Every structure is written in structure tokens, then in C-alpha cells.
Amino acid sequence: MSNANIQAPKGTKDILPEDQPYWRYLYRIIEKHALKAGFEKIDVPIFESTNLFKRGIGEATDIVEKEMYTFLDKSRNSLALRPEFTAGIVRAYIEHGMHTLPQPVKLFYFGPIFRYERPQAGRYRQSHQFGFEIFGDKHAIMDAQIITLLWSIHQKLKLKNISLQINSIGCRECREEFKKELVDYYIMQKDKLCSNCKRRIKKNPLRLLDCKEEECVELSHGAPQIIDHLCGDCNQHFQSVLEYLDEVEIPYELNPKLVRGLDYYNRTVFEIWGGKEGAQNALGGGGRYDGLGEILGGKKLSAIGYAGGVERIIETMKEQGIKIPNEKNTPVFLVQLGEQGKKYGLKLAEELRNKGIGVADSLGKDSLKAQMRLANKKNAKIAIIIGQREAAKNTVILRDMEQGIQNEVPLEKTVDKIKKALKK
Ligand code: AMP
């Protein structure tokens, strides 16, 4: 075996302790908003049957064609690491008979996804998504409700320069008509397309509209727009969504080129763009997917969902200099001397923690100086100092680290005194 250092796989990232407060903060905000809006958390497996994603996401999508981590397990079942959550959640909805629950069923999630992509800034092979799904209600107000929820999350995070991009890609019927027209338009100018789009033109023509290659962007300007081809019902649905958004004063940009990558969408599609001014940095996206339930073998199921990229949001928050509330997990530092001090300290620290007071320590250390230095470094407000003498007398010394004043306190009064001092 080689002695070379093993590094994290390409496209993956350690989330180091210094970044964890951002992750905790974001998760807290998402969870709080979701629960308060009547969404329940769901966790689904990190790997699922490969067929679930092939059927659900669609064989002609980049995700399924190129980006899935698939493997055979020891029983030769083909499994895949989830490249997104929605297919797994719909599977769970069907498998657990959630159609028997009062509808709509509102769910949220948070966790890793895996895509074999070319790693670059903001694009990883393991990344994390949070998201929301509403099942069992086709009303346009559901679309507006999910957008309202994620809009308020982005507001709460104080993200600047974000925009809501929105479009409707109609239902299967109106989209088929449109696709024909789109193919006719692009076939005439096939030579000007990038090689990817030349290949996609028959299989997944909608994707040509949001190709980022310069020549394709140029061509997309003259392409027919789906909005002109919506059937009466789809048009009505979309107009209602926009009216509801006007009602809650959420600004949006109508984006006729927004089609989203996955096969399962219909009607409303939307993305949140944000970050660097002018840059098309998608923080997340979603849409309605009324057909997916049936595709996965269930009954007809109205559904709308959204998935946001955790790394993208945190990176954007950092770029924008957004500060998160300071976490003071361990305002108290325990300093001990001698074997008796260690034993006494080990017990006392645990008691304090059980009473809700965060205590840091370095019980393995012996030197008073080294421990005090550490207490300073960790920004402790109070140091508890326990030597042999205090241990024998059942007292502790409490030191106010900011003012440098210290007092000896009987053990039974320690909790009260600390609580009072921390309130100041
Ligand atoms: P999608 O449904 O593919 O548009 O993904 C929704 C969001 O997840 C995107 O807007 C990104 O913020 C995030 N995302 C998707 N794939 C990746 C990735 N490979 N690396 C980082 N973030 C990603």
C-alpha cells in the first residue's frame, strides 16, 4: 500500500468546525419556518433503486445520463446515491399510503445529494439540499405558498440581490405542441448549436433554451416561447400564481427560458437566483410535478416542490458579509488543579451542563497558566477554578474573565451565581 496521503474525493468538501455555525443557523431557520408553516420533516434513504431515478427524473436528463453514482450491491441490485430528493419522497408517499392522510401533505427535508459533475466553484459531487414538497392539491395557491415560504427564508437570511425567476412549461398536451415548434426552429439552425444541444434537439428540446453556451444563448433569443402556447387551463393556473405573488408582494421576473432540467415538471417552474450582481447563480429551483406520482406507479398526485442548495446559500452569505448570530455555547471554562480538582471538576461540569450551562474544559491539563490562557482564547465569560483546597472545602472560585475579579463560592450556590453572572 502506498504511503501517500489520502485526500477527500474530488468534488467533496469537509465541513469544518468553523463553518458549522452557518450550517446550524441555516438549518434552524429552515426548520423553524417549515414547522411554523405546517410542514413535517421527512428523511429518505441516501441510496435508492437506480430505476427510481431513471423513471422519475427521466433517462434523457443530464443527471441520469451522466451524473448518477450507481453501483451494484453484493446481491447485484442496482442502486444509486440520490442525485435529488423528490423522487425518493414521492416513492415514500406512495409506499406509506400518505394519500390516506388529510391532504395536502406538506413535507420538508435537508441532506446530501450526489452528482458526478465537473467540480467548480459552487458545484460539488457531494452537496446538500433542503426543500419542501406539497402533495395532493393542484390549486395555484399551493405554488404561491411554497414560494412565499422560501422567499421569507431568504429574507430572514438577509440575502441581497436575489430574484425569483418564474415561468410555466404547461402540461403534457400544450408542451408537445410547443416542442414541435421548438424543434422546427432549432433544426433550421442546427449548425450553430453546441454539440450537446445538437444531440439533445430531439430527445430533450426544452433544454436548448437554457443552455449556457454562447452560441446557444444567442439562438435562444429568437426561439418560440412556451408562454404563447399554454392551453386555457395552464394559462389560468399561471395567471393565478402570479396574482397570488402580487398579493403577497413578492417580486418576480418572468423568464421564458426557464425550463428546469428534469422531465417531471409541468406548469409552474421557478428558481431563486442570487449572489454576485448580475451573475446567474441559482440558489435553488422547483416547480409543479403533477405527473410523477403516476410515473412511479401510484395514483394521480398533484405536487409542487422546491430544492435549495445549502453550499450555494452559505457561500453567498459569506460573499455578502452576512453575519450570523454569535453562538455562545460554552460561556464557562473549568480550570482545575490536582487529582482532586479533576474529579470534582468532571462531576461539577456535568451537573452544570445538565442545568443548561455550557462548560468547556481541558481536564487533561495540569498547568493553571495554560488553562487560564485557553479560557481567554475561548472567550469564556466566567472561569470556575477548583484546586485541592476548594475540593476539600466544597467550594469553587468564580472568576469574571472580563473584569478579572474572583470570589470563592459554596458549591450549592455555584449554579445560581453563574446564571446571574451570565445574564449580565
Ligand atoms: P437543481 O434541482 O438541479 O436545480 O438543484 C437545485 C439547487 O441545488 C441548485 O440551484 C443548486 O443551488 C444546488 N445544487 C445542485 N447541484 C449542485 C452541485 N453539484 N453542487 C452544489 N450545489 C448544487
Side-chain angles (χ1 to χ4, degrees):
M1 209 194 285
S2 138
N3 275 335
N5 287 341
I6 297 174
Q7 296 187 331
K10 201 169 157 186
T12 68
K13 217 166 63 124
D14 299 310
I15 306 163
L16 295 173
E18 70 230 34
D19 261 352
Q20 295 288 347
Y22 281 96
W23 285 72
R24 276 196 291 274
Y25 179 64
L26 182 56
Y27 182 76
R28 263 205 317 273
I29 301 276
I30 291 163
E31 184 183 52
K32 198 165 139 193
H33 278 73
L35 292 175
K36 291 223 180 294
F39 285 71
E40 294 286 349
K41 175 105 187 275
I42 184 162
D43 287 304
V44 288
I46 281 177
F47 58 85
E48 298 260 9
S49 150
T50 305
N51 275 336
L52 173 72
F53 301 117
K54 278 194 179 162
R55 256 158 66 188
I57 300 174
E59 304 244 15
T61 56
D62 282 354
I63 292 185
V64 170
E65 258 187 355
K66 296 187 282 203
E67 297 171 1
M68 268 212 298
Y69 278 91
T70 47
F71 60 98
L72 290 178
D73 71 5
K74 290 195 165 53
S75 311
R76 305 199 63 73
N77 298 312
S78 179
L79 299 168
L81 299 184
R82 66 177 174 221
E84 52 109 59
F85 277 75
T86 301
I89 294 177
V90 173
R91 183 217 24 86
Y93 178 96
I94 298 169
E95 195 171 325
H96 300 284
M98 289 192 216
H99 64 280
T100 60
L101 301 173
Q103 307 290 307
V105 172
K106 299 178 175 182
L107 301 172
F108 78 101
Y109 60 83
F110 189 108
I113 59 157
F114 305 85
R115 295 181 188 176
Y116 189 79
E117 299 201 73
R118 201 155 49 85
Q120 47 185 294
R123 197 169 284 286
Y124 308 101
R125 290 182 174 173
Q126 175 174 343
S127 66
H128 294 73
Q129 284 186 341
F130 67 94
F132 312 98
E133 318 280 1
I134 301 182
F135 296 112
D137 197 330
K138 62 180 193 307
H139 202 289
I141 205 158
M142 296 296 126
D143 309 32
Q145 197 179 35
I146 226 167
I147 293 173
T148 310
L149 170 63
L150 58 101
W151 191 256
S152 56
I153 289 174
H154 287 74
Q155 296 297 316
K156 178 77 191 169
L157 295 171
K158 301 201 167 73
L159 286 159
K160 295 183 280 279
N161 303 327
I162 58 167
S163 75
L164 168 64
Q165 306 284 315
I166 193 164
N167 191 20
S168 172
I169 55 168
C171 58
R172 208 170 297 154
E173 284 78 48
C174 42
R175 198 160 56 235
E176 280 318 305
E177 279 303 302
F178 171 67
K179 272 188 192 170
K180 274 188 211 135
E181 203 170 302
L182 199 61
V183 171
D184 287 348
Y185 169 78
Y186 277 114
I187 287 267
M188 305 279 285
Q189 326 192 50
K190 198 172 173 191
D191 296 345
K192 297 187 202 150
L193 289 170
C194 76
S195 55
N196 243 342
C197 284
K198 276 192 187 115
R199 199 170 45 81
R200 286 197 288 219
I201 197 164
K202 285 265 164 63
K203 270 170 60 186
N204 199 352
L206 287 185
R207 288 313 306 271
L208 273 60
L209 287 172
D210 73 353
C211 177
K212 303 287 179 290
E213 296 294 330
E214 207 177 308
E215 58 272 38
C216 301
V217 172
E218 195 58 38
L219 272 185
S220 73
H221 295 321
Q225 297 193 356
I226 179 113
I227 210 85
D228 303 326
H229 295 74
L230 295 182
C231 65
D233 285 351
C234 287
N235 193 38
Q236 180 56 47
H237 184 95
F238 192 45
Q239 292 313 319
S240 299
V241 175
L242 300 182
E243 271 171 35
Y244 292 129
L245 292 178
D246 288 336
E247 190 61 35
V248 285
E249 294 178 19
I250 293 178
Y252 51 82
E253 278 177 41
L254 295 175
N255 183 341
K257 289 181 201 148
L258 188 72
V259 293
R260 308 279 298 134
L262 319 181
D263 270 8
Y264 56 55
Y265 286 113
N266 66 313
R267 294 196 165 166
T268 321
V269 289
F270 55 97
E271 286 188 353
I272 300 273
W273 289 359
K276 292 176 196 122
E277 206 122 13
Q280 291 184 9
N281 179 26
L283 298 182
R288 185 161 272 288
Y289 52 95
D290 301 322
L292 184 58
E294 262 174 307
I295 293 174
L296 296 181
K299 300 197 182 80
K300 197 161 173 35
L301 174 64
S302 299
I304 174 132
Y306 174 81
V310 177
E311 283 82 358
R312 297 250 179 110
I313 289 187
I314 291 178
E315 280 159 21
T316 307
M317 286 172 74
K318 287 184 176 173
E319 271 164 26
Q320 297 187 352
I322 295 171
K323 296 263 183 306
I324 56 171
N326 223 340
E327 285 185 3
K328 278 252 182 284
N329 294 322
T330 51
V332 175
F333 195 95
L334 182 99
V335 175
Q336 40 66 38
L337 288 166
E339 193 51 27
Q340 273 312 103
K342 284 195 197 323
K343 284 185 184 156
Y344 192 80
L346 182 66
K347 205 165 146 207
L348 177 63
E350 215 36 45
E351 278 172 25
L352 291 170
R353 289 168 189 146
N354 286 335
K355 297 214 159 95
I357 301 169
V359 184
D361 62 65
S362 61
L363 283 167
K365 282 203 167 48
D366 295 323
S367 139
L368 175 71
K369 225 171 159 188
Q371 292 181 71
M372 289 305 286
R373 218 180 299 133
L374 209 55
N376 258 323
K377 221 172 165 183
K378 300 250 177 204
N379 282 327
K381 266 190 97 173
I382 299 168
I384 307 179
I385 305 167
I386 308 169
Q388 309 276 26
R389 208 172 67 91
E390 288 76 28
K393 282 170 56 190
N394 261 342
T395 62
V396 300
I397 292 172
L398 294 187
R399 182 180 175 87
D400 182 320
M401 296 295 287
E402 276 150 27
Q403 297 181 22
I405 303 168
Q406 60 187 49
N407 286 305
E408 192 168 345
V409 179
L411 184 61
E412 66 273 14
K413 295 214 168 128
T414 312
V415 173
D416 274 357
K417 289 263 181 211
I418 291 179
K419 279 194 170 160
K420 257 188 215 140
L422 290 179
K423 267 199 195 129
K424 272 191 222 154

